[in-house]
Amino acid sequence: MRTLEEVQATLEIAKLKEEDLLSTVHCLSFGDNVSSSDYCLMELDETLCKLIEAGESLVIRGDKDERAVLCSSDKTYDLKIADTSNLLLLVPGCRTPDQLSDDQDSIHIWGFCNSYWELRKQRPKLKKLKKLLMENPYEGPAIRGQEENTENRYTMEDLLERIQASEEELKTHLETIHACQIDGYWRVLDFDYEMKLLGHVAQLVDSESWSFNKVPLHTSLEELTPLEPREMIEHCLNCYGKRYAESGEVFYALNEDSVCRGLALMLLQNAVKFNLKEFQDVWQQSVPEGMSTRLEQLKGVALVDRTSRPETIGLLRVEDLPEDTVERFNHLFSLREKWTEDDITPYIQDLCGEKQTTGALLTKYARSSMQNGVKVFNSRRPVAT
């Protein structure tokens, strides 16, 4: 027990006034083996608190060589330890001062911490997904007498264990990269095989003189099933079109931008640089009748070089660039010293966090200047080429 003089001396050292203290005083008691390593605290925002209260789970994901992230069903959060100078006490059945009574026993402390996990919403880390699925891409049905490669195949549960993303973000990206489920495993199509499927569909649309906005599913399957499995034809239509029903029949409206982009990738796949004018001519001839090709359709997948003579175009897909922001900018500036805002925006758009703009990213990681009356951006630091 402390004497009144000892309490007053403590108040003076702490620079506290006696009248500011609560009239009710309670002693704290600690268990015999209480340690700061017994518990970890995590600070949750209102949204995550409601998820926990509703009985939903939060999952920590990451391999041994990765920085851990926390995932809800639809969002991903960065985990960071925050230290505090105030000792955080864990008290079961903790009460506020107005709930305490004069005759209450001492308060028992279960544990204590001087740090906690702080959460910050971040982009899911999805680059690894394509890398895993490309270990064994689907190249079509196995040829008779040839065994299919069953190694390196992943179920949804396998992917959730390996990929640092929420389930909803993972499913959305699987759709983006045109992955499909085959025999219970998620597979990405081999590029040549996917283009073969798209070629079959495009040729059928032309030969039947269909509007690309009204491609009948039943007839398409009847015509193309002798060439490829029904499931793959329908998957191709789902990737490059939108399904709808009319008068009891199912149709697909092919997405002009998606089809033109896919066929452009096929043309650019094996060429380092392509004469821009020649490319545009060949590209327009390769798409179904009625579709119009435009360079805007290739934002984020191909880059035009207006400074070369003749002008050229080459493959540069945003999905092949580093996920880290600093590494992304370094890589881009190693490819081209100066970028216009229109050229660089498709390659940094996905780096933007909540309420962040590409303009803010450029201000932070690049330096602007005027060149021939056009604003261009270059690196703030020397870049190894």
Side-chain angles (χ1 to χ4, degrees):
M1 300 291 291
R2 292 184 181 182
T3 64
L4 180 60
E5 289 75 17
E6 288 174 333
V7 172
Q8 290 172 335
T10 302
L11 291 176
E12 187 175 345
I13 293 171
K15 297 180 181 180
L16 295 174
K17 295 180 181 179
E18 192 172 336
E19 56 268 24
D20 292 335
L21 298 180
L22 297 174
S23 58
T24 304
V25 178
H26 293 275
C27 296
L28 305 180
S29 64
F30 291 81
D32 295 334
N33 299 311
V34 173
S35 167
S36 61
S37 62
D38 290 342
Y39 300 93
C40 289
L41 297 181
M42 184 179 292
E43 185 180 54
L44 303 180
D45 61 21
E46 186 178 354
T47 301
L48 291 177
C49 277
K50 288 180 178 178
L51 289 178
I52 293 294
E53 290 168 355
E56 294 193 31
S57 299
L58 301 177
V59 184
I60 294 176
R61 295 194 170 111
D63 282 342
K64 292 180 180 179
D65 59 342
E66 295 173 326
R67 183 186 176 97
V69 299
L70 183 87
C71 297
S72 64
S73 61
D74 62 348
K75 289 182 176 61
T76 302
Y77 298 84
D78 181 41
L79 280 170
K80 183 180 179 183
I81 292 180
D83 294 320
T84 173
S85 57
N86 296 320
L87 193 64
L88 304 172
L89 303 178
L90 306 181
V91 182
C94 182
R95 299 182 183 182
T96 56
D98 57 308
Q99 295 173 319
L100 297 173
S101 59
D102 293 337
D103 58 352
Q104 182 164 336
D105 295 333
S106 63
I107 299 174
H108 184 69
I109 307 300
W110 273 20
F112 62 91
C113 293
N114 52 16
S115 64
Y116 60 93
W117 287 104
E118 193 175 53
L119 302 181
R120 184 176 60 188
K121 198 178 296 181
Q122 70 162 35
R123 303 186 313 274
K125 299 179 180 180
L126 295 162
K127 190 177 180 68
K128 185 177 176 182
L129 175 60
K130 183 76 175 282
K131 184 179 178 181
L132 287 176
L133 296 182
M134 285 304 293
E135 292 173 354
N136 185 8
Y138 183 72
E139 300 176 346
I143 301 171
R144 185 176 297 177
Q146 191 178 56
E147 290 187 11
E148 185 181 358
N149 181 5
T150 58
E151 296 180 349
N152 302 322
R153 298 193 301 179
Y154 301 93
T155 63
M156 177 58 73
E157 290 70 27
D158 295 331
L159 293 175
L160 287 171
E161 284 290 323
R162 303 287 302 275
I163 306 301
Q164 292 184 294
S166 68
E167 186 169 355
E168 185 174 310
E169 291 166 329
L170 181 61
K171 288 179 177 178
T172 299
H173 196 64
L174 284 168
E175 186 176 326
T176 300
I177 62 176
H178 295 175
C180 62
Q181 222 173 356
I182 301 173
D183 298 330
Y185 298 96
W186 281 95
R187 309 284 297 275
V188 69
L189 303 188
D190 174 75
F191 180 77
D192 289 340
Y193 183 63
E194 183 175 339
M195 290 301 101
K196 182 181 177 183
L197 292 171
L198 180 58
H200 286 323
V201 171
Q203 287 171 17
L204 181 63
V205 171
D206 274 346
S207 65
E208 297 290 338
S209 299
W210 291 333
S211 163
F212 65 84
N213 286 315
K214 196 171 185 179
V215 180
L217 173 62
H218 181 71
T219 307
S220 298
L221 294 177
E222 277 192 339
E223 293 292 329
L224 298 178
T225 295
L227 302 174
E228 299 294 341
R230 294 173 62 90
E231 297 78 13
M232 290 297 100
I233 299 299
E234 192 164 354
H235 174 65
C236 181
L237 288 168
N238 283 321
C239 290
Y240 291 95
K242 185 176 182 181
R243 185 186 183 110
Y244 68 96
E246 185 178 292
S247 303
E249 189 175 354
V250 177
F251 294 92
Y252 278 86
L254 295 181
N255 184 294
E256 183 178 62
D257 290 347
S258 297
V259 173
C260 291
R261 187 184 304 114
L263 294 172
L265 289 174
M266 181 175 65
L267 295 173
L268 293 169
Q269 187 71 10
N270 298 315
V272 178
K273 294 281 185 178
F274 208 126
N275 180 298
L276 180 60
K277 179 65 172 63
E278 293 177 1
F279 166 76
Q280 288 178 297
D281 291 340
V282 175
W283 183 26
Q284 181 59 56
Q285 293 169 17
S286 69
V287 301
E289 187 73 29
M291 288 191 175
S292 299
T293 58
R294 303 180 303 279
L295 289 177
E296 289 76 17
Q297 295 164 336
L298 303 184
K299 286 186 176 181
V301 296
L303 187 63
V304 173
D305 186 352
R306 300 286 186 185
T307 62
S308 67
R309 291 293 177 268
E311 295 177 341
T312 59
I313 185 171
L315 203 60
L316 182 61
R317 294 181 294 193
V318 67
E319 65 185 60
D320 296 330
L321 300 178
E323 280 185 310
D324 178 76
T325 303
V326 174
E327 290 180 15
R328 174 82 62 87
F329 273 95
N330 286 342
H331 185 75
L332 290 172
F333 287 124
S334 70
L335 296 174
R336 178 182 287 187
E337 183 183 358
K338 295 183 178 181
W339 292 72
T340 64
E341 187 169 2
D342 284 345
D343 282 347
I344 201 170
T345 294
Y347 294 105
I348 61 173
Q349 188 79 52
D350 63 310
L351 298 176
C352 293
E354 277 194 309
K355 300 178 182 178
Q356 190 177 31
T357 63
T358 54
L361 282 176
L362 288 169
T363 300
K364 184 175 182 179
Y365 296 100
R367 182 182 287 109
S368 67
S369 60
M370 298 299 292
Q371 182 174 292
N372 300 325
V374 179
K375 181 185 278 191
V376 293
F377 295 88
N378 63 290
S379 178
R380 285 187 172 274
R381 62 185 74 184
V383 176
T385 56

